[in-house]
Amino acid sequence: MITGCTGSLGGHLARRLMEDGWRVVGVARRTDPELEKLEPFRGVAIDLGTLEAKNSLFDLLKTENPALFVHAAVHYGNPRVLDRNLPEIETMFRVNAHSAFLAFAEYCEAGPMEQFCTFVPINSDAIFHTTATNAAYAASKAALRVLAAGLAERCKTSNGCVATLALGPLADHSKTSQLKALAEKRGISMEALTAEYMRRSNPFLVIEELIDLEACYRCIETIVDLGAMANGMVCRLDGGSAGALI
């Protein structure tokens, strides 16, 4: 099961899992016609920003009994109004943290799972670099990290585990398209502009390329292969963006 399967990361993970023989159930606000053409894929429309989302996700977990549950859905909100818009902040927290956490927590407590399940919440280096425009988003991701840490304790007796994948700047379609357009406008190479962007965006970064989506998939492969030993794990694929002591 993958939430946010219509996004760049979620879509890539869904396709790669199917290539490797997995049956994928993709969750998003709207189903993706292109993914629906693929086998074996099933799309389920659930808006994680609603109060009912937790129950819908829990029911889906009970029905599907997945071996892997990746929470890749994300909501950034509008930074211009976010700090004074409580409904928008509540929606952000439900999408980014609460809905998936509460559903999996209830799944753990409902009794032993039929098969071992690895829950991988996708997190962000934004929790280490809060600004005036991303504070609410960063707070929602920080909440997800703390909730995942507490969930690991419950997983000890539930035939499951939770392992966080913390990511830095991704090579998603939106970002690469923007950089490509700017590089053409300035008459420089995409590689040079990306390296400049990385240096300016975060002085802690020790990489000069955006993080490839395939690298994210390989990290998830490793987490799954570790089984119960991955419970409580934090896998950082962030280019050192959190700094040296994290």
Side-chain angles (χ1 to χ4, degrees):
M1 266 179 64
I2 303 175
T3 68
C5 66
T6 56
S8 292
L9 177 58
H12 180 82
L13 296 177
R15 288 176 172 82
R16 287 292 287 111
L17 284 164
M18 286 187 283
E19 287 174 7
D20 283 351
W22 292 72
R23 181 175 67 87
V24 174
V25 176
V27 176
R29 283 186 301 167
R30 294 177 293 274
T31 56
D32 185 335
E34 294 303 314
L35 279 174
E36 292 284 356
K37 297 176 185 177
L38 304 177
E39 292 287 346
F41 178 86
R42 180 167 81 92
V44 178
I46 299 176
D47 185 348
L48 297 184
T50 64
L51 288 171
E52 299 78 20
K54 183 267 290 184
N55 293 331
S56 299
L57 269 183
F58 170 72
D59 291 341
L60 195 58
L61 285 166
K62 288 293 287 182
T63 300
E64 297 294 340
N65 295 297
L68 172 63
F69 177 30
V70 179
H71 178 44
V74 63
H75 181 64
Y76 296 103
N78 183 345
R80 288 179 230 178
V81 299
L82 199 51
D83 59 346
R84 54 188 180 275
N85 190 329
L86 181 57
E88 179 70 8
I89 292 175
E90 290 176 340
T91 297
M92 178 180 290
F93 269 76
R94 289 191 195 105
V95 174
N96 294 349
H98 294 162
S99 294
F101 160 75
L102 291 170
F104 194 77
E106 188 171 342
Y107 186 48
C108 289
E109 293 172 350
M113 303 171 191
E114 291 186 15
Q115 67 173 332
F116 188 87
C117 181
T118 300
F119 175 37
V120 183
I122 305 296
N123 217 302
S124 167
D125 63 347
I127 63 176
F128 305 112
H129 305 287
T130 305
T131 67
T133 57
N134 80 345
Y137 169 72
S140 71
K141 285 297 190 177
L144 177 62
R145 173 65 204 111
V146 175
L147 291 170
L151 190 55
E153 180 70 22
R154 301 188 195 190
C155 286
K156 291 197 307 186
T157 57
S158 66
N159 198 31
C161 78
V162 55
T164 294
L165 177 56
L167 301 175
L170 290 179
D172 58 47
H173 177 72
S174 174
K175 194 178 281 99
T176 54
S177 296
Q178 291 174 3
L179 288 173
K180 182 179 179 181
L182 185 57
E184 291 175 353
K185 182 178 180 180
R186 291 176 54 181
I188 61 176
S189 70
M190 177 76 166
E191 292 75 14
L193 182 64
T194 301
E196 179 185 331
Y197 164 79
M198 299 289 272
R199 287 192 299 271
R200 290 186 176 184
S201 65
N202 188 333
F204 290 107
L205 284 170
V206 292
I207 56 175
E208 293 192 332
E209 298 178 28
L210 295 169
I211 295 167
D212 186 73
L213 300 182
E214 181 62 16
C216 303
Y217 178 70
R218 289 166 63 186
C219 286
I220 290 176
E221 278 189 311
T222 299
I223 291 170
V224 172
D225 287 344
L226 287 171
M229 192 60 63
N231 194 33
M233 174 182 179
V234 178
C235 176
R236 280 180 52 196
L237 181 63
D238 62 0
S241 62
L245 298 179
I246 304 297

